[in-house]
Amino acid sequence: MKYFEDISVGDRMDIGIHLFTAAEIKLFAAQFDPQPFHLDEAAAAQSHFGALCASGWHTASMWMRLRILYGQREDAERTARGEPNAALGPSPGFREMRWLKPVYAGDTISYASEVIEARASQKRPGWGLIQVHNSGTNQNGDLVISFKSSAFVERRPDA
């Protein structure tokens, strides 16, 4: 992770893409969101969605997976250059989670995150707090998921 001092409002991360397959949608739904329109094509065809679609929690979980993998790649690149990595602290949470359009089997979602606020923590010396707007867009350019998240980020030891 970059140190807090190296993060600026407007910084954008294209964290990755994911193809949602019917098999994966059904597997996730069977474990975590067993509604008929996530489990069965025929039931989904009769629903308001009209076809098999991913759980909103599935689309959010894929953002989390890709965000962690993105951070691990960035950390490895910094380490290879001999640069230190900051600690990523806890997240106070998410807000304004919106599932704007269904994610259907066969859709490819591109996920991104953009820093919208950064401030030093008054209560936790050595830490800054960032606010990030996160999004997922399908292959047609339609926004399918949007939410804001917060996270504590370690400040430089000499800051």
Side-chain angles (χ1 to χ4, degrees):
M1 183 74 191
K2 291 180 183 178
Y3 281 100
F4 174 76
E5 290 75 14
D6 300 325
I7 297 171
S8 300
V9 171
D11 286 354
R12 181 181 163 88
M13 298 168 278
D14 293 313
I15 63 171
I17 61 172
H18 183 74
L19 169 63
F20 285 80
T21 67
E24 176 189 352
I25 288 169
K26 291 176 189 179
L27 182 63
F28 184 95
Q31 293 180 317
F32 304 110
D33 191 357
Q35 298 183 70
F37 44 82
H38 299 319
L39 292 168
D40 178 74
E41 283 89 347
Q46 299 302 313
S47 76
H48 56 280
F49 294 113
L52 187 73
C53 63
S55 165
W57 298 113
H58 189 178
T59 61
S61 294
M62 286 313 306
W63 170 85
M64 188 76 227
R65 175 179 170 70
L66 292 171
R67 177 60 187 96
I68 295 300
L69 292 173
Y70 178 91
Q72 290 172 345
R73 285 190 307 271
E74 275 198 329
D75 286 354
E77 290 169 6
R78 269 190 294 283
T79 298
R81 292 190 303 262
E83 300 170 6
N85 285 302
L88 178 61
S91 171
F94 298 92
R95 63 187 195 283
E96 299 178 34
M97 174 85 64
R98 292 189 173 90
W99 294 297
L100 302 159
K101 290 196 176 234
V103 172
Y104 293 106
D107 280 354
T108 299
I109 307 304
S110 300
Y111 291 95
S113 299
E114 183 175 339
V115 178
I116 56 175
E117 183 182 333
R119 64 178 173 80
S121 175
Q122 299 299 317
K123 295 180 182 177
R124 295 179 187 224
W127 293 91
L129 183 65
I130 61 171
Q131 307 286 324
V132 181
H133 178 260
N134 306 288
S135 61
T137 305
N138 68 18
Q139 67 279 356
N140 301 317
D142 298 323
L143 188 63
V144 299
I145 186 171
S146 174
F147 62 97
K148 294 178 182 173
S149 60
S150 305
F152 284 95
V153 180
E154 183 181 16
R155 297 190 73 187
R156 287 195 180 280
D158 56 356

